[in-house]
Amino acid sequence: MQIIENDKIKSIDIVTSTSINKEDDPYMNNTSILKPCPFCGANAHIWVRNNQEISYVRYMAAVECNSMYCEAMIDTQWFDTGDEAIQEAIICWNRRVE
């Protein structure tokens, strides 16, 4: 479940890329959060991956265009929480140059 206030996600379920397909992605076609692809205009989806180490878990997120003909994608650095990674990915994807 996600709660958006002032264009920021307050809480969100973490989805690992190893356990979900694009067809089952809960963020697929979520146009209320992600702007369309800046290259082809298609909707985009976001996913989260974790890097489980022996003593800690880190998270990175990526936003990817849904079009099978477009390879637009951004990803983030590693964060301590999935929420931080998702927020950074959304900000980066939605940024547009005037």
Side-chain angles (χ1 to χ4, degrees):
M1 181 63 139
Q2 59 196 17
I3 300 169
I4 303 173
E5 291 179 11
N6 300 324
D7 296 329
K8 291 191 178 188
I9 294 177
K10 295 296 181 185
S11 65
I12 198 160
D13 294 330
I14 301 303
V15 178
T16 59
S17 61
T18 57
S19 66
I20 198 157
N21 296 327
K22 274 187 179 182
E23 293 78 25
D24 300 323
D25 190 337
Y27 307 108
M28 185 72 92
N29 298 322
N30 196 339
T31 57
S32 64
I33 295 175
L34 297 171
K35 290 183 179 180
C37 176
F39 300 104
C40 71
N43 290 331
H45 70 278
I46 189 167
W47 52 269
V48 176
R49 186 176 88 180
N50 65 28
N51 179 21
Q52 191 168 2
E53 298 293 331
I54 295 171
S55 61
Y56 63 92
V57 177
R58 302 282 299 214
Y59 299 90
M60 61 90 60
V63 178
E64 190 174 33
C65 178
N66 286 345
S67 172
M68 62 189 256
Y69 302 109
C70 182
E71 295 183 11
M73 182 182 121
I74 61 100
D75 59 4
T76 66
Q77 63 185 8
W78 294 98
F79 288 91
D80 291 329
T81 68
D83 286 342
E84 290 174 310
I86 290 168
Q87 187 64 45
E88 182 65 21
I90 291 169
I91 289 169
C92 291
W93 181 264
N94 288 342
R95 184 177 298 134
R96 301 291 192 262
V97 177
E98 296 293 326

